[in-house]
Amino acid sequence: MNQEAARDLDAAWRRVVSTGAFIGGAHVDRFEEQWADYCGRRWAVGVANGTQALELTLRALGIGQGDEVILPANTFVATAEAVALAGATPLFVDVAPETLLVTPAIVEAAVTPRSAAVIVVHLYGQIPDMNGLGQVAGKASLALIEDAAQAHGATWKRRKAGSFGHAGCFSFYPTKNLGAFGDAGAVVTNDGELARRVRSLGDHGRSAASRDLHEHIGTNSRLDALQAAVLSAKLPLLDRWVEARRRALAAYNRLLKGSGVRLVKGEQSAASACHLNVIRTRARDRVRAALEAKRIRTGVHYPVPCHLQDPYRAFYREPLPVAERSASEVLSLPLFPHITTDQIRHVCRNLRQIVDDEVLSHVR
Ligand SMILES: *Cc1c(COP(=O)(O)O)cnc(C)c1O
């Protein structure tokens, strides 16, 4: 992937080095404009990483102590971390069994008088019913925040991930669909005041009027110019990479038909960013070990749901059966834009064999 953009990347790095503006400056401004434009939003604010994109968004919305934030339990821990770091209370909810995403009904049932926001996570690159979620959030006066860290380029009814909520939060961690050469993140929004506050919070709470006046207790969370230049150089290739991921996932689907392996399905109206290729199987750990023995490297996203992670015990309320069961079943198969059809065939052939052997060993 990086080779494809190599010439542009080299030139971009050299330009940053020659200007000497490493934090902020023209490269950051340019990427922010490009990213807002790509997402169909008015503003993008670069921050240091995806976790802080979420945390600073919550803080900029005035959400903290005494407020509840509704979020799915089956997400990367960073979503929950951001809520706790903002001083709010994470209210973990379960997800739909087929999509592993929240639904409007699930969120609606969870709302209490203290609920201030809902974070919708576009897990694996899939976007849930955003109309329904927008209505529920509106009715309950919740801020709607998208954790779009896995969904660069995903659409729902032709609208891009990040364009539905009060704010969309992105990570550009190197393995994401659009990855920097280190940590980076961004918040996109149509709300100019929210954008201004996120920017100020990430820049030591500086006031717009003077660099020496600080209007909030902020933090240091800025996008640096080298990362911005890398992201600008790679952005023109993003749609092509997402298309390649979609084609690869379609090939997996075809080759695994009738194999007894269940694929995680998205919403009808959504076009997934195909960040991860997740299947579900009962004997996940044995299947995973057998694939590893064939030198096929897989991942698990995620083996322990957030509500069962130690530091979040204080926020535990009830069992969340779908999140808990799926945590022991999900397995992420190799997926990257340049994966070849032969590589996909190789994985599927081995996976079918392993699953068949697994079934036989249970019959015996
Ligand atoms: C990667 C990720 C994050 C955190 O992003 P960082 O840049 O690593 O801080 C948050 N939420 C989800 C769903 C992620 O996948």
Side-chain angles (χ1 to χ4, degrees):
M1 271 165 68
N2 292 328
Q3 281 85 328
E4 243 181 297
R7 280 238 314 267
D8 291 345
L9 284 167
D10 270 0
W13 279 64
R14 256 178 289 134
R15 273 199 303 277
V16 174
V17 171
S18 72
T19 63
F22 292 106
I23 304 279
H27 287 90
V28 174
D29 294 348
R30 176 155 167 265
F31 176 69
E32 287 179 343
E33 264 169 45
Q34 291 170 330
W35 189 242
D37 193 49
Y38 181 85
C39 296
R41 297 258 98 169
R42 224 167 290 153
W43 308 99
V45 181
V47 294
N49 54 62
T51 310
Q52 288 189 320
L54 290 161
E55 182 194 342
L56 297 185
T57 295
L58 289 165
R59 289 189 58 194
L61 287 165
I63 293 165
Q65 203 101 56
D67 295 321
E68 269 168 12
V69 177
I70 298 168
L71 74 160
N74 60 328
T75 177
F76 181 51
V77 74
T79 321
E81 212 166 39
V83 175
L85 287 172
T89 302
L91 200 161
F92 296 110
V93 294
D94 213 355
V95 286
E98 285 294 314
T99 61
L100 302 183
L101 305 175
V102 293
T103 65
I106 289 171
V107 173
E108 189 160 38
V111 172
T112 81
R114 299 199 318 157
S115 307
V118 53
I119 303 180
V120 174
V121 180
H122 302 326
L123 194 70
Y124 311 149
Q126 320 235 43
I127 304 184
D129 170 9
M130 294 311 292
N131 263 353
L133 286 162
Q135 276 162 15
V136 167
K139 223 164 53 183
S141 302
L142 306 179
L144 176 63
I145 300 166
E146 297 174 70
D147 180 342
Q150 301 188 359
H152 316 68
T155 58
W156 188 84
K157 297 199 170 166
R158 305 242 168 115
R159 275 174 66 182
K160 286 261 167 56
S163 70
F164 299 93
H166 289 95
C169 300
F170 288 90
S171 162
F172 304 109
Y173 182 79
T175 61
K176 308 288 187 189
N177 279 12
L178 180 63
F181 284 2
D183 279 310
V187 177
V188 298
T189 181
N190 277 348
D191 178 344
E193 183 54 28
L194 178 62
R196 200 192 61 75
R197 258 186 260 144
V198 168
R199 190 179 300 287
S200 167
L201 284 171
D203 190 25
H204 305 293
R206 274 204 173 96
S207 103
S210 160
R211 279 189 65 77
D212 298 317
L213 292 178
H214 303 267
E215 54 188 7
H216 319 278
I217 298 178
T219 186
N220 178 356
S221 182
R222 297 172 297 219
L223 176 63
D224 66 66
L226 286 168
Q227 301 307 343
V230 167
L231 292 166
S232 286
K234 290 172 82 171
L235 181 54
L237 298 164
L238 175 59
D239 281 340
R240 224 192 297 157
W241 288 335
V242 170
E243 271 314 312
R245 286 174 179 275
R246 286 180 182 148
R247 278 197 302 276
L249 203 68
Y252 269 111
N253 271 305
R254 269 197 314 278
L255 291 165
L256 289 175
K257 219 172 227 146
S259 66
V261 167
R262 278 181 304 153
L263 296 128
V264 175
K265 277 205 222 71
E267 259 251 343
Q268 284 276 305
S269 320
S272 175
C274 299
H275 176 58
L276 293 170
N277 175 19
V278 179
I279 60 157
R280 295 170 72 177
T281 168
R282 285 265 158 71
R284 193 264 318 278
D285 292 336
R286 281 200 299 275
V287 170
R288 187 176 194 207
L291 285 168
E292 185 74 40
K294 302 267 182 193
R295 298 156 128 242
I296 296 170
R297 175 87 29 101
T298 58
V300 174
H301 303 88
Y302 297 90
V304 182
C306 294
H307 69 302
L308 301 180
Q309 295 279 5
D310 249 353
Y312 297 89
R313 293 262 171 196
F315 306 113
Y316 183 91
R317 289 180 316 141
E318 58 184 3
L320 301 171
V322 178
E324 286 165 34
R325 187 168 0 99
S326 68
S328 66
E329 295 178 345
V330 289
L331 183 66
S332 309
L333 301 179
L335 179 67
F336 44 92
H338 295 85
I339 193 167
T340 64
T341 311
D342 280 348
Q343 287 172 317
I344 296 173
R345 281 211 191 94
H346 176 71
V347 174
C348 293
R349 204 179 313 119
N350 280 284
L351 179 59
R352 272 179 174 272
Q353 185 69 57
I354 290 162
V355 171
D356 285 351
D357 291 350
E358 189 57 43
V359 173
L360 280 180
S361 74
H362 278 282
V363 175
R364 254 185 263 127

